[in-house]
Amino acid sequence: MSQHKPTTSLCRYTDTAIFYRDQNLVEELMPGDSDFVSVMMRHVLGREISRSEARIMHAILIAIMEHGLTPSAIATRSVYMSAPENLQGAVAAGLMAVGSQFVGTIENNARLLAQIVPLEADKQADKAREIVRDHRARKAHIPGFGHHLHKPDDPRAQMLLRMGEEESQARRHLDALKLLSTVVDEEYGRHITINATGATAALLGDMGVPVDLMRGFAVVSRAAGLVAHIAEEQEKPSGRYIWEVVDKAIPFED
Amino acid sequence: MSQHKPTTSLCRYTDTAIFYRDQNLVEELMPGDSDFVSVMMRHVLGREISRSEARIMHAILIAIMEHGLTPSAIATRSVYMSAPENLQGAVAAGLMAVGSQFVGTIENNARLLAQIVPLEADKQADKAREIVRDHRARKAHIPGFGHHLHKPDDPRAQMLLRMGEEESQARRHLDALKLLSTVVDEEYGRHITINATGATAALLGDMGVPVDLMRGFAVVSRAAGLVAHIAEEQEKPSGRYIWEVVDKAIPFED
Amino acid sequence: MSQHKPTTSLCRYTDTAIFYRDQNLVEELMPGDSDFVSVMMRHVLGREISRSEARIMHAILIAIMEHGLTPSAIATRSVYMSAPENLQGAVAAGLMAVGSQFVGTIENNARLLAQIVPLEADKQADKAREIVRDHRARKAHIPGFGHHLHKPDDPRAQMLLRMGEEESQARRHLDALKLLSTVVDEEYGRHITINATGATAALLGDMGVPVDLMRGFAVVSRAAGLVAHIAEEQEKPSGRYIWEVVDKAIPFED
Amino acid sequence: MSQHKPTTSLCRYTDTAIFYRDQNLVEELMPGDSDFVSVMMRHVLGREISRSEARIMHAILIAIMEHGLTPSAIATRSVYMSAPENLQGAVAAGLMAVGSQFVGTIENNARLLAQIVPLEADKQADKAREIVRDHRARKAHIPGFGHHLHKPDDPRAQMLLRMGEEESQARRHLDALKLLSTVVDEEYGRHITINATGATAALLGDMGVPVDLMRGFAVVSRAAGLVAHIAEEQEKPSGRYIWEVVDKAIPFED
């Protein structure tokens, strides 16, 4: 057997108490004006987050909770129609869509920012330009920029950036994103919006969230949105209609 | 094609704005001291929740977020070890464990409360006794009562009940649960704790959450907890160790 | 810790060999004209299946593999579009739809058959009539009967029943299903087709598959079908189109 | 709306018949000695597979179906214990582990083979050497080679390679794998086994399975194995024991 003996710092419990890290769940975390988001962040990061960070996290989680009948919501509604006894499976199906094509761009953008942030100020612009030119040469989409719908600017991104400027103490990732944005506009010769995933990447980066963990918050937020879709599905079922519409829209062709 | 044409009230968007129901996401929901939990509840229930209800929801979501290396966390860690590129799949795997045996008891308890609540006061005690005796005769576990670990009382349940008494305006489900608890203790001749799922059922019932939707909030809360398990797994991997330990603990037998 | 020490009979391995139950994988199971379905059944049931049973299992797995753009396929395609790096998540999302509303009826029908099979011959018809009348009185759908599309008869069911008659040795469940079918037609005064799930329930029952395991074979079969949907999605992507079509078909309504 | 109008070639149905591609399910695919694996392959690839290819596919699916209490099986058993009403969710949870760390190496190995296969014979060895040296320089594991348990040779791989040599007509990927194996042994100065994922990659490549689809067959095969784990779990539950063992093995550490 492996010599490596992992431990956990997340939770311990006795017959009469439960601790989240070093805090008593019932006596310290639940009562008063407890805040689920701050408790979650403390649990994930292992440190207390500031009032400013809490404001930003609430805004991020609200901003990416919902965007209508997305592939994620379609998957959830389709599964819920087929297995209504299994709400968690329907939510899980929709969460599986929190992948590379949409929310995964948070992490891809964060990886770009991580190349810029550690550099000295005068090297940052060069790196930003190198990144943009490289993407452009490969005709690759720059993660965190552009939105197929929200033009010229993604309003969620605008608001997140503004909150970041008001609230963020250590705004090195935010500054890197703004630098990258300036270079993007210069190199493409037109304005390309920073989108919600780009703004989220910068704000989470400034909070010290590891890049590979970032989509986790999209998972939590989207879970809330998908529960709302199921609530609506319980009142006004659409699953069978989605089936009919899609089946008709995609004809058989030999 | 079916005559039924479903609609959605959850979200609409234009090029420049996104609306969650009738509220402008960017202008109304994100700025200021926005609260993710209140926005989620409004989105799910279609009505503003009160300050008291928000306090209770935060406490519920905090209370069921984490309980250590549960089957749910074990599933998430095992999948994350095998597919770390796919954080959402690891969380989804763990969420699939939010089923009948643990969190599903929220709904099962809520179904009992739903039999008591509509009755006139003098009939409620009879119904509670009938429920308890029926379960006892069938040697069936009464959902919402008992905990294999937390005895004599589940501290989370105690706190949730106290908050419910302080905060809840319409506490018909809470009162029904307390009535049921009294009868449980009488019929069994000993004290059996109301557990966290029982208290949650009563509080969600008093908020008007449909029974079949209740486990949805456990899904959201547990998603947050599972993200913390993945964060820890990134720092201190346990997946391979879990594999070794389990493989060794369950020997082959012909 | 619990006294109960579980063991496994499924697999053991050494540095040089792997055993599925008591058979050497490489020397006994893989070579020659090995049959995946027979190996799977042996692994699940713990006994060798007969040539006749193998024929029936192949037919069942083929019959429920595919039915076009079902909710299951829609979920898989929607997730695959969002997370193409994660094929297994897309299949898993679609498999979550193997629930109560479609495939779960295999088990619900099997539960009816399980009420009939143990009775003496002269009591079986009475029980069948009781079951049908009870469902009719409750205006409940009888699981295993009827199909929203395939009328008057589900052709898959017809073929499965025919194979069952040709091949099945112990056809007690098959006989019970046919008895139930006769009574269904009498009581409703018109012919209602046995559907594919009903026929599957009878054939699996005659093979000794436990009721609670039956949907497992639908999961395996449907997994194959969903891989074909992903193969087609790789060639002719439909995920974005499904999104557009559904988003347009379900308008916002305040 | 997008101009792109996707179609499907997989399935069409009328009131009385269902077609998988151009074949009548009931009349052509189900009866006689129908073979689920060949039907699946035809459905996925859009062409009939040969008798030799069918033999190889059966052997592949059998070989990767089971490997004891893997992370995949642990996830399935943990979820099944928590939500036994939801067998498909438990299988789906386990399938989520069919990711980069184990089965994903099929695709990673296939990507290496795809660099070798198109080259002229005299360039292939150079490319193989370049690949191996590059991995070695980066201290990277070469996908398809090595096994933490099966040494010196993975017996499944040996058998698959032998079947490939007996059966495969177009064995360009198989030859590329053997070339790569020779170079691996030369460069490392010791024998490193071709593992089951490496052999599978070569055989699927010779069958024309697209690289990005390869793990799909592992999903189907593993689904069968996980159903066997659930069957065993129904007879000899281990989920609670796994929980106890893991909870005890991973202590809390502040």
Side-chain angles (χ1 to χ4, degrees), chain A residues 64 72 95 97-109 143 196-198 200-201 204 211 214-219 222, chain B residues 88, chain C residues 82-83 85:
Chain A
I64 56 185
S72 180
L95 292 180
V98 180
S100 63
Q101 298 307 293
F102 302 103
V103 178
T105 53
I106 295 176
E107 294 165 8
N108 294 336
N109 180 267
T197 59
T200 302
L204 293 179
V211 172
M214 287 184 178
R215 76 172 67 175
F217 300 105
V219 169
R222 190 50 65 98
Chain B
Q88 73 272 22
Chain C
S82 308
E85 73 285 1

PDB file of all heavy atoms in Angstrom, chain A residues 64 72 95 97-109 143 196-198 200-201 204 211 214-219 222, chain B residues 88, chain C residues 82-83 85:
ATOM      1  N   ILE A  64     -23.919  34.104 -13.294  1.00  0.00           N
ATOM      2  CA  ILE A  64     -23.806  32.922 -14.168  1.00  0.00           C
ATOM      3  C   ILE A  64     -24.821  31.835 -13.831  1.00  0.00           C
ATOM      4  O   ILE A  64     -24.743  30.727 -14.329  1.00  0.00           O
ATOM      5  CB  ILE A  64     -22.364  32.347 -14.168  1.00  0.00           C
ATOM      6  CG1 ILE A  64     -21.900  32.004 -12.755  1.00  0.00           C
ATOM      7  CG2 ILE A  64     -21.403  33.331 -14.808  1.00  0.00           C
ATOM      8  CD1 ILE A  64     -20.444  31.535 -12.679  1.00  0.00           C
ATOM      9  N   SER A  72     -27.500  23.271 -21.229  1.00  0.00           N
ATOM     10  CA  SER A  72     -27.537  22.781 -19.851  1.00  0.00           C
ATOM     11  C   SER A  72     -28.980  22.610 -19.375  1.00  0.00           C
ATOM     12  O   SER A  72     -29.364  21.551 -18.861  1.00  0.00           O
ATOM     13  CB  SER A  72     -26.779  23.799 -18.990  1.00  0.00           C
ATOM     14  OG  SER A  72     -26.751  23.429 -17.656  1.00  0.00           O
ATOM     15  N   LEU A  95     -25.432  19.914 -15.267  1.00  0.00           N
ATOM     16  CA  LEU A  95     -24.112  20.387 -14.812  1.00  0.00           C
ATOM     17  C   LEU A  95     -22.985  19.830 -15.673  1.00  0.00           C
ATOM     18  O   LEU A  95     -21.928  20.448 -15.798  1.00  0.00           O
ATOM     19  CB  LEU A  95     -23.876  19.992 -13.352  1.00  0.00           C
ATOM     20  CG  LEU A  95     -24.763  20.703 -12.346  1.00  0.00           C
ATOM     21  CD1 LEU A  95     -24.422  20.222 -10.940  1.00  0.00           C
ATOM     22  CD2 LEU A  95     -24.606  22.214 -12.439  1.00  0.00           C
ATOM     23  N   ALA A  97     -22.791  19.901 -18.600  1.00  0.00           N
ATOM     24  CA  ALA A  97     -22.568  20.844 -19.699  1.00  0.00           C
ATOM     25  C   ALA A  97     -21.695  22.027 -19.284  1.00  0.00           C
ATOM     26  O   ALA A  97     -21.387  22.878 -20.116  1.00  0.00           O
ATOM     27  CB  ALA A  97     -23.913  21.348 -20.243  1.00  0.00           C
ATOM     28  N   VAL A  98     -21.319  22.090 -18.022  1.00  0.00           N
ATOM     29  CA  VAL A  98     -20.406  23.151 -17.580  1.00  0.00           C
ATOM     30  C   VAL A  98     -18.991  22.750 -18.000  1.00  0.00           C
ATOM     31  O   VAL A  98     -18.134  22.436 -17.177  1.00  0.00           O
ATOM     32  CB  VAL A  98     -20.517  23.365 -16.056  1.00  0.00           C
ATOM     33  CG1 VAL A  98     -19.571  24.456 -15.594  1.00  0.00           C
ATOM     34  CG2 VAL A  98     -21.947  23.741 -15.677  1.00  0.00           C
ATOM     35  N   GLY A  99     -18.770  22.719 -19.319  1.00  0.00           N
ATOM     36  CA  GLY A  99     -17.503  22.213 -19.832  1.00  0.00           C
ATOM     37  C   GLY A  99     -16.728  23.234 -20.622  1.00  0.00           C
ATOM     38  O   GLY A  99     -16.880  24.440 -20.420  1.00  0.00           O
ATOM     39  N   SER A 100     -15.924  22.743 -21.518  1.00  0.00           N
ATOM     40  CA  SER A 100     -14.936  23.583 -22.186  1.00  0.00           C
ATOM     41  C   SER A 100     -15.543  24.704 -23.024  1.00  0.00           C
ATOM     42  O   SER A 100     -14.935  25.761 -23.167  1.00  0.00           O
ATOM     43  CB  SER A 100     -14.052  22.711 -23.078  1.00  0.00           C
ATOM     44  OG  SER A 100     -14.841  22.115 -24.097  1.00  0.00           O
ATOM     45  N   GLN A 101     -16.708  24.468 -23.611  1.00  0.00           N
ATOM     46  CA  GLN A 101     -17.186  25.402 -24.621  1.00  0.00           C
ATOM     47  C   GLN A 101     -17.749  26.695 -24.038  1.00  0.00           C
ATOM     48  O   GLN A 101     -17.795  27.716 -24.722  1.00  0.00           O
ATOM     49  CB  GLN A 101     -18.242  24.741 -25.505  1.00  0.00           C
ATOM     50  CG  GLN A 101     -17.695  23.557 -26.271  1.00  0.00           C
ATOM     51  CD  GLN A 101     -16.456  23.897 -27.052  1.00  0.00           C
ATOM     52  OE1 GLN A 101     -16.508  24.666 -27.997  1.00  0.00           O
ATOM     53  NE2 GLN A 101     -15.301  23.378 -26.647  1.00  0.00           N
ATOM     54  N   PHE A 102     -18.221  26.671 -22.831  1.00  0.00           N
ATOM     55  CA  PHE A 102     -18.764  27.899 -22.263  1.00  0.00           C
ATOM     56  C   PHE A 102     -18.007  28.264 -20.991  1.00  0.00           C
ATOM     57  O   PHE A 102     -17.172  29.138 -20.980  1.00  0.00           O
ATOM     58  CB  PHE A 102     -20.273  27.758 -22.018  1.00  0.00           C
ATOM     59  CG  PHE A 102     -21.005  27.434 -23.278  1.00  0.00           C
ATOM     60  CD1 PHE A 102     -21.440  26.146 -23.542  1.00  0.00           C
ATOM     61  CD2 PHE A 102     -21.202  28.402 -24.240  1.00  0.00           C
ATOM     62  CE1 PHE A 102     -22.074  25.840 -24.739  1.00  0.00           C
ATOM     63  CE2 PHE A 102     -21.835  28.116 -25.446  1.00  0.00           C
ATOM     64  CZ  PHE A 102     -22.262  26.829 -25.692  1.00  0.00           C
ATOM     65  N   VAL A 103     -18.296  27.543 -19.941  1.00  0.00           N
ATOM     66  CA  VAL A 103     -17.732  27.926 -18.653  1.00  0.00           C
ATOM     67  C   VAL A 103     -16.240  27.609 -18.574  1.00  0.00           C
ATOM     68  O   VAL A 103     -15.481  28.274 -17.870  1.00  0.00           O
ATOM     69  CB  VAL A 103     -18.517  27.238 -17.522  1.00  0.00           C
ATOM     70  CG1 VAL A 103     -17.920  27.590 -16.188  1.00  0.00           C
ATOM     71  CG2 VAL A 103     -19.970  27.684 -17.589  1.00  0.00           C
ATOM     72  N   GLY A 104     -15.813  26.610 -19.315  1.00  0.00           N
ATOM     73  CA  GLY A 104     -14.395  26.270 -19.312  1.00  0.00           C
ATOM     74  C   GLY A 104     -13.521  27.427 -19.766  1.00  0.00           C
ATOM     75  O   GLY A 104     -12.319  27.461 -19.459  1.00  0.00           O
ATOM     76  N   THR A 105     -14.146  28.371 -20.459  1.00  0.00           N
ATOM     77  CA  THR A 105     -13.364  29.537 -20.882  1.00  0.00           C
ATOM     78  C   THR A 105     -12.917  30.373 -19.690  1.00  0.00           C
ATOM     79  O   THR A 105     -11.955  31.129 -19.811  1.00  0.00           O
ATOM     80  CB  THR A 105     -14.174  30.391 -21.867  1.00  0.00           C
ATOM     81  OG1 THR A 105     -15.422  30.688 -21.280  1.00  0.00           O
ATOM     82  CG2 THR A 105     -14.400  29.631 -23.167  1.00  0.00           C
ATOM     83  N   ILE A 106     -13.601  30.257 -18.562  1.00  0.00           N
ATOM     84  CA  ILE A 106     -13.087  30.911 -17.351  1.00  0.00           C
ATOM     85  C   ILE A 106     -11.639  30.479 -17.128  1.00  0.00           C
ATOM     86  O   ILE A 106     -10.742  31.305 -16.965  1.00  0.00           O
ATOM     87  CB  ILE A 106     -13.924  30.539 -16.095  1.00  0.00           C
ATOM     88  CG1 ILE A 106     -15.347  31.068 -16.209  1.00  0.00           C
ATOM     89  CG2 ILE A 106     -13.259  31.080 -14.825  1.00  0.00           C
ATOM     90  CD1 ILE A 106     -16.248  30.645 -15.033  1.00  0.00           C
ATOM     91  N   GLU A 107     -11.441  29.168 -17.139  1.00  0.00           N
ATOM     92  CA  GLU A 107     -10.112  28.642 -16.847  1.00  0.00           C
ATOM     93  C   GLU A 107      -9.119  28.966 -17.963  1.00  0.00           C
ATOM     94  O   GLU A 107      -7.949  29.253 -17.706  1.00  0.00           O
ATOM     95  CB  GLU A 107     -10.202  27.132 -16.615  1.00  0.00           C
ATOM     96  CG  GLU A 107     -11.011  26.821 -15.364  1.00  0.00           C
ATOM     97  CD  GLU A 107     -11.437  25.371 -15.263  1.00  0.00           C
ATOM     98  OE1 GLU A 107     -10.978  24.563 -16.082  1.00  0.00           O
ATOM     99  OE2 GLU A 107     -12.227  25.056 -14.363  1.00  0.00           O
ATOM    100  N   ASN A 108      -9.594  28.903 -19.188  1.00  0.00           N
ATOM    101  CA  ASN A 108      -8.684  29.208 -20.299  1.00  0.00           C
ATOM    102  C   ASN A 108      -8.248  30.659 -20.260  1.00  0.00           C
ATOM    103  O   ASN A 108      -7.091  30.988 -20.519  1.00  0.00           O
ATOM    104  CB  ASN A 108      -9.363  28.874 -21.625  1.00  0.00           C
ATOM    105  CG  ASN A 108      -9.600  27.386 -21.766  1.00  0.00           C
ATOM    106  OD1 ASN A 108      -8.895  26.582 -21.143  1.00  0.00           O
ATOM    107  ND2 ASN A 108     -10.591  27.007 -22.550  1.00  0.00           N
ATOM    108  N   ASN A 109      -9.175  31.552 -19.910  1.00  0.00           N
ATOM    109  CA  ASN A 109      -8.794  32.941 -19.766  1.00  0.00           C
ATOM    110  C   ASN A 109      -7.839  33.114 -18.587  1.00  0.00           C
ATOM    111  O   ASN A 109      -6.834  33.833 -18.685  1.00  0.00           O
ATOM    112  CB  ASN A 109     -10.039  33.816 -19.571  1.00  0.00           C
ATOM    113  CG  ASN A 109      -9.669  35.280 -19.405  1.00  0.00           C
ATOM    114  OD1 ASN A 109      -9.511  35.754 -18.289  1.00  0.00           O
ATOM    115  ND2 ASN A 109      -9.469  35.981 -20.521  1.00  0.00           N
ATOM    116  N   PRO A 143     -10.029  33.135 -25.266  1.00  0.00           N
ATOM    117  CA  PRO A 143     -10.982  32.869 -24.186  1.00  0.00           C
ATOM    118  C   PRO A 143     -11.190  34.088 -23.301  1.00  0.00           C
ATOM    119  O   PRO A 143     -10.247  34.801 -22.972  1.00  0.00           O
ATOM    120  CB  PRO A 143     -10.327  31.719 -23.399  1.00  0.00           C
ATOM    121  CG  PRO A 143      -8.911  31.668 -23.838  1.00  0.00           C
ATOM    122  CD  PRO A 143      -8.853  32.247 -25.206  1.00  0.00           C
ATOM    123  N   ALA A 196     -18.514  37.514 -19.626  1.00  0.00           N
ATOM    124  CA  ALA A 196     -18.687  37.211 -18.201  1.00  0.00           C
ATOM    125  C   ALA A 196     -17.643  36.217 -17.704  1.00  0.00           C
ATOM    126  O   ALA A 196     -17.192  36.304 -16.560  1.00  0.00           O
ATOM    127  CB  ALA A 196     -20.095  36.676 -17.943  1.00  0.00           C
ATOM    128  N   THR A 197     -17.253  35.286 -18.575  1.00  0.00           N
ATOM    129  CA  THR A 197     -16.261  34.308 -18.110  1.00  0.00           C
ATOM    130  C   THR A 197     -14.898  34.967 -17.937  1.00  0.00           C
ATOM    131  O   THR A 197     -14.147  34.621 -17.018  1.00  0.00           O
ATOM    132  CB  THR A 197     -16.156  33.111 -19.074  1.00  0.00           C
ATOM    133  OG1 THR A 197     -15.794  33.583 -20.364  1.00  0.00           O
ATOM    134  CG2 THR A 197     -17.460  32.355 -19.152  1.00  0.00           C
ATOM    135  N   GLY A 198     -14.572  35.914 -18.797  1.00  0.00           N
ATOM    136  CA  GLY A 198     -13.301  36.625 -18.655  1.00  0.00           C
ATOM    137  C   GLY A 198     -13.257  37.431 -17.358  1.00  0.00           C
ATOM    138  O   GLY A 198     -12.276  37.373 -16.599  1.00  0.00           O
ATOM    139  N   THR A 200     -15.005  36.955 -14.733  1.00  0.00           N
ATOM    140  CA  THR A 200     -15.010  36.016 -13.612  1.00  0.00           C
ATOM    141  C   THR A 200     -13.607  35.467 -13.359  1.00  0.00           C
ATOM    142  O   THR A 200     -13.165  35.353 -12.202  1.00  0.00           O
ATOM    143  CB  THR A 200     -15.997  34.862 -13.902  1.00  0.00           C
ATOM    144  OG1 THR A 200     -17.290  35.411 -14.113  1.00  0.00           O
ATOM    145  CG2 THR A 200     -16.032  33.863 -12.771  1.00  0.00           C
ATOM    146  N   ALA A 201     -12.916  35.135 -14.433  1.00  0.00           N
ATOM    147  CA  ALA A 201     -11.553  34.610 -14.288  1.00  0.00           C
ATOM    148  C   ALA A 201     -10.658  35.602 -13.555  1.00  0.00           C
ATOM    149  O   ALA A 201      -9.882  35.226 -12.662  1.00  0.00           O
ATOM    150  CB  ALA A 201     -10.974  34.297 -15.665  1.00  0.00           C
ATOM    151  N   LEU A 204     -11.850  35.907  -9.774  1.00  0.00           N
ATOM    152  CA  LEU A 204     -11.491  34.713  -8.999  1.00  0.00           C
ATOM    153  C   LEU A 204      -9.973  34.631  -8.838  1.00  0.00           C
ATOM    154  O   LEU A 204      -9.470  34.221  -7.783  1.00  0.00           O
ATOM    155  CB  LEU A 204     -12.028  33.443  -9.674  1.00  0.00           C
ATOM    156  CG  LEU A 204     -13.553  33.279  -9.716  1.00  0.00           C
ATOM    157  CD1 LEU A 204     -13.929  31.979 -10.452  1.00  0.00           C
ATOM    158  CD2 LEU A 204     -14.161  33.263  -8.309  1.00  0.00           C
ATOM    159  N   VAL A 211      -6.687  28.070 -10.703  1.00  0.00           N
ATOM    160  CA  VAL A 211      -7.305  28.023 -12.029  1.00  0.00           C
ATOM    161  C   VAL A 211      -8.151  26.764 -12.203  1.00  0.00           C
ATOM    162  O   VAL A 211      -9.284  26.821 -12.686  1.00  0.00           O
ATOM    163  CB  VAL A 211      -6.227  28.090 -13.125  1.00  0.00           C
ATOM    164  CG1 VAL A 211      -6.843  27.837 -14.497  1.00  0.00           C
ATOM    165  CG2 VAL A 211      -5.539  29.444 -13.088  1.00  0.00           C
ATOM    166  N   MET A 214     -11.724  26.895 -10.759  1.00  0.00           N
ATOM    167  CA  MET A 214     -12.637  28.007 -11.051  1.00  0.00           C
ATOM    168  C   MET A 214     -14.010  27.565 -11.518  1.00  0.00           C
ATOM    169  O   MET A 214     -15.017  28.122 -11.120  1.00  0.00           O
ATOM    170  CB  MET A 214     -12.001  28.949 -12.069  1.00  0.00           C
ATOM    171  CG  MET A 214     -10.881  29.779 -11.469  1.00  0.00           C
ATOM    172  SD  MET A 214     -10.216  30.955 -12.663  1.00  0.00           S
ATOM    173  CE  MET A 214      -8.989  31.798 -11.614  1.00  0.00           C
ATOM    174  N   ARG A 215     -14.059  26.528 -12.370  1.00  0.00           N
ATOM    175  CA  ARG A 215     -15.377  26.169 -12.879  1.00  0.00           C
ATOM    176  C   ARG A 215     -16.271  25.594 -11.788  1.00  0.00           C
ATOM    177  O   ARG A 215     -17.488  25.487 -11.980  1.00  0.00           O
ATOM    178  CB  ARG A 215     -15.270  25.225 -14.074  1.00  0.00           C
ATOM    179  CG  ARG A 215     -14.934  23.801 -13.755  1.00  0.00           C
ATOM    180  CD  ARG A 215     -15.054  22.908 -14.984  1.00  0.00           C
ATOM    181  NE  ARG A 215     -14.033  23.244 -15.974  1.00  0.00           N
ATOM    182  CZ  ARG A 215     -13.840  22.559 -17.098  1.00  0.00           C
ATOM    183  NH1 ARG A 215     -14.622  21.536 -17.383  1.00  0.00           N
ATOM    184  NH2 ARG A 215     -12.885  22.876 -17.935  1.00  0.00           N
ATOM    185  N   GLY A 216     -15.668  25.254 -10.652  1.00  0.00           N
ATOM    186  CA  GLY A 216     -16.474  24.758  -9.538  1.00  0.00           C
ATOM    187  C   GLY A 216     -17.550  25.743  -9.099  1.00  0.00           C
ATOM    188  O   GLY A 216     -18.661  25.337  -8.746  1.00  0.00           O
ATOM    189  N   PHE A 217     -17.239  27.027  -9.156  1.00  0.00           N
ATOM    190  CA  PHE A 217     -18.238  28.008  -8.723  1.00  0.00           C
ATOM    191  C   PHE A 217     -19.343  28.151  -9.759  1.00  0.00           C
ATOM    192  O   PHE A 217     -20.496  28.417  -9.417  1.00  0.00           O
ATOM    193  CB  PHE A 217     -17.567  29.333  -8.384  1.00  0.00           C
ATOM    194  CG  PHE A 217     -16.571  29.156  -7.288  1.00  0.00           C
ATOM    195  CD1 PHE A 217     -15.206  29.149  -7.537  1.00  0.00           C
ATOM    196  CD2 PHE A 217     -17.005  28.904  -5.997  1.00  0.00           C
ATOM    197  CE1 PHE A 217     -14.294  28.929  -6.528  1.00  0.00           C
ATOM    198  CE2 PHE A 217     -16.101  28.677  -4.968  1.00  0.00           C
ATOM    199  CZ  PHE A 217     -14.738  28.687  -5.233  1.00  0.00           C
ATOM    200  N   ALA A 218     -18.981  27.948 -11.028  1.00  0.00           N
ATOM    201  CA  ALA A 218     -20.025  27.903 -12.052  1.00  0.00           C
ATOM    202  C   ALA A 218     -20.942  26.711 -11.826  1.00  0.00           C
ATOM    203  O   ALA A 218     -22.149  26.787 -12.062  1.00  0.00           O
ATOM    204  CB  ALA A 218     -19.397  27.834 -13.438  1.00  0.00           C
ATOM    205  N   VAL A 219     -20.373  25.611 -11.355  1.00  0.00           N
ATOM    206  CA  VAL A 219     -21.184  24.417 -11.080  1.00  0.00           C
ATOM    207  C   VAL A 219     -22.196  24.720  -9.964  1.00  0.00           C
ATOM    208  O   VAL A 219     -23.378  24.395 -10.089  1.00  0.00           O
ATOM    209  CB  VAL A 219     -20.283  23.219 -10.707  1.00  0.00           C
ATOM    210  CG1 VAL A 219     -21.106  22.064 -10.159  1.00  0.00           C
ATOM    211  CG2 VAL A 219     -19.481  22.762 -11.927  1.00  0.00           C
ATOM    212  N   ARG A 222     -24.781  27.321 -11.316  1.00  0.00           N
ATOM    213  CA  ARG A 222     -25.662  26.747 -12.319  1.00  0.00           C
ATOM    214  C   ARG A 222     -26.609  25.708 -11.701  1.00  0.00           C
ATOM    215  O   ARG A 222     -27.751  25.554 -12.156  1.00  0.00           O
ATOM    216  CB  ARG A 222     -24.810  26.127 -13.433  1.00  0.00           C
ATOM    217  CG  ARG A 222     -25.570  25.687 -14.669  1.00  0.00           C
ATOM    218  CD  ARG A 222     -26.512  26.742 -15.227  1.00  0.00           C
ATOM    219  NE  ARG A 222     -25.890  27.929 -15.723  1.00  0.00           N
ATOM    220  CZ  ARG A 222     -25.621  28.167 -17.014  1.00  0.00           C
ATOM    221  NH1 ARG A 222     -25.904  27.253 -17.911  1.00  0.00           N
ATOM    222  NH2 ARG A 222     -25.086  29.313 -17.375  1.00  0.00           N
TER     223      ARG A 222
ATOM    224  N   GLN B  88     -16.661  19.133 -13.303  1.00  0.00           N
ATOM    225  CA  GLN B  88     -18.131  19.086 -13.229  1.00  0.00           C
ATOM    226  C   GLN B  88     -18.647  17.651 -13.152  1.00  0.00           C
ATOM    227  O   GLN B  88     -19.662  17.386 -12.500  1.00  0.00           O
ATOM    228  CB  GLN B  88     -18.760  19.854 -14.398  1.00  0.00           C
ATOM    229  CG  GLN B  88     -18.663  19.173 -15.767  1.00  0.00           C
ATOM    230  CD  GLN B  88     -17.373  19.525 -16.505  1.00  0.00           C
ATOM    231  OE1 GLN B  88     -16.362  19.925 -15.909  1.00  0.00           O
ATOM    232  NE2 GLN B  88     -17.388  19.378 -17.813  1.00  0.00           N
TER     233      GLN B  88
ATOM    234  N   SER C  82     -21.419  21.108 -25.335  1.00  0.00           N
ATOM    235  CA  SER C  82     -20.858  22.010 -24.334  1.00  0.00           C
ATOM    236  C   SER C  82     -19.535  21.519 -23.770  1.00  0.00           C
ATOM    237  O   SER C  82     -18.735  22.307 -23.286  1.00  0.00           O
ATOM    238  CB  SER C  82     -21.844  22.170 -23.171  1.00  0.00           C
ATOM    239  OG  SER C  82     -23.124  22.516 -23.641  1.00  0.00           O
ATOM    240  N   ALA C  83     -19.326  20.220 -23.803  1.00  0.00           N
ATOM    241  CA  ALA C  83     -18.129  19.631 -23.193  1.00  0.00           C
ATOM    242  C   ALA C  83     -17.651  18.449 -24.027  1.00  0.00           C
ATOM    243  O   ALA C  83     -17.651  17.310 -23.559  1.00  0.00           O
ATOM    244  CB  ALA C  83     -18.432  19.205 -21.755  1.00  0.00           C
ATOM    245  N   GLU C  85     -14.846  17.439 -24.755  1.00  0.00           N
ATOM    246  CA  GLU C  85     -13.673  16.770 -24.190  1.00  0.00           C
ATOM    247  C   GLU C  85     -14.090  15.674 -23.224  1.00  0.00           C
ATOM    248  O   GLU C  85     -13.252  14.941 -22.717  1.00  0.00           O
ATOM    249  CB  GLU C  85     -12.784  17.795 -23.470  1.00  0.00           C
ATOM    250  CG  GLU C  85     -13.319  18.327 -22.139  1.00  0.00           C
ATOM    251  CD  GLU C  85     -14.440  19.331 -22.301  1.00  0.00           C
ATOM    252  OE1 GLU C  85     -14.836  19.617 -23.453  1.00  0.00           O
ATOM    253  OE2 GLU C  85     -14.949  19.839 -21.281  1.00  0.00           O
TER     254      GLU C  85
END
